[in-house]
Amino acid sequence: MALERGRYEFKSIYLRYWGGLQLWKKQVKLELSDWVDIYPDLSQVRGVLGAVQNTLILDGHRIARKQTSGSEFHYIRDYVQGDDVRHLNWKASARAAKLMTNLFQPEKGKIVTILLDCGRQMGIELDGQIKLDRTLEAALTLAAVALKQGDQVALLAFSSRMKVYVPPGRGCRICMSLRGPSMT
C-alpha cells in the first residue's frame, strides 16, 4: 500500500505460486521494470451511499424517510393527516369541497458543477492525508449522490490555469477524469 500518490517505478517483481493442493510453493524474482500510478484511496466514496441507507434501519426494520418537499410542483392530492398545512391548495379545496394539498418533488435532471482547486495550497498534509485527496473524496461522493438522483455532473479542475474540464453528463466519466495524469 502506497502512502503517497504519484508515479512509482518497480524494478523487480516477486511472483509466488503454489499447487492446487497447497503441497508445494515457489517464489520467483522477475526483472521487469514498470511504472505504476498511485491514486488516492477512494474506497470511502462507495460506502457513503450505503451508509445513508443503513442509518434508516432500526432493529431490523427499515424506516421510510418522510418525503421532504422539493421545489418542483408534481400534482394535487387529498390532504392526509401529517401533511404540511403550508402546502394546502385553497382553490382546489374550494372546488372539491375537501382539503387538497400540493405535492412537490425534488428537482431532477439539474446540472451539478464541481469546481476542484488543485493549487499549491491543496498539497498540504492534514492528519496523514493530503488536502487534495480529501477534496477528491468529497467531490466523488457528491458526484455519486447527484448521479444516483438523476442529475448531470460536470467537473472543472483548476490551479493557476484550467487543468481539466469534463462537460455535464451522466455516468462514470468524472471518475475516470479524476484519475488522469493532468491532475498532478
Side-chain angles (χ1 to χ4, degrees), residues 89-184:
N89 188 325
W90 294 107
K91 288 184 180 180
S93 297
R95 280 192 301 263
K98 59 183 176 180
L99 287 177
M100 304 292 281
T101 185
N102 292 334
L103 190 66
F104 296 92
Q105 67 181 5
E107 295 180 5
K108 292 188 180 194
K110 299 299 177 193
I111 298 174
V112 176
T113 303
I114 299 172
L115 300 176
L116 189 60
D117 183 7
C118 300
R120 178 177 54 85
Q121 292 291 326
M122 296 303 283
I124 297 173
E125 187 174 329
L126 293 174
D127 298 330
Q129 196 176 17
I130 296 174
K131 285 171 87 173
L132 182 61
D133 293 344
R134 287 186 178 195
T135 307
L136 282 172
E137 216 171 272
L140 284 176
T141 303
L142 175 64
V145 170
L147 289 171
K148 189 170 184 176
Q149 295 296 322
D151 295 328
Q152 295 184 35
V153 178
L155 171 75
L156 174 67
F158 64 93
S159 60
S160 59
R161 60 180 178 78
M162 187 170 75
K163 294 197 174 255
V164 174
Y165 175 69
V166 180
R170 294 180 174 87
C172 199
R173 291 181 313 151
I174 293 207
C175 303
M176 301 314 276
S177 295
L178 287 176
R179 294 179 167 231
S182 61
M183 293 295 292
T184 56

Side-chain angles (χ1 to χ4, degrees), residues 33-50:
S33 180
D34 197 7
W35 292 91
V36 174
D37 291 326
I38 305 297
Y39 300 108
D41 179 22
L42 302 173
S43 59
Q44 295 178 352
V45 173
R46 287 184 217 104
V48 169
L49 296 175

Side-chain angles (χ1 to χ4, degrees), residues 1 4 7 13-14 16-17 19 30-31 33 35 43 49 55 57 72 85 88 96 98 105 134 163-164 166-167 183:
M1 173 179 279
E4 294 182 19
R7 180 165 270 201
I13 297 176
Y14 292 92
R16 292 185 186 138
Y17 56 97
L30 302 172
E31 296 298 329
S33 180
W35 292 91
S43 59
L49 296 175
T55 60
I57 298 175
E72 197 171 291
V85 294
L88 285 175
K98 59 183 176 180
Q105 67 181 5
R134 287 186 178 195
K163 294 197 174 255
V164 174
V166 180
M183 293 295 292

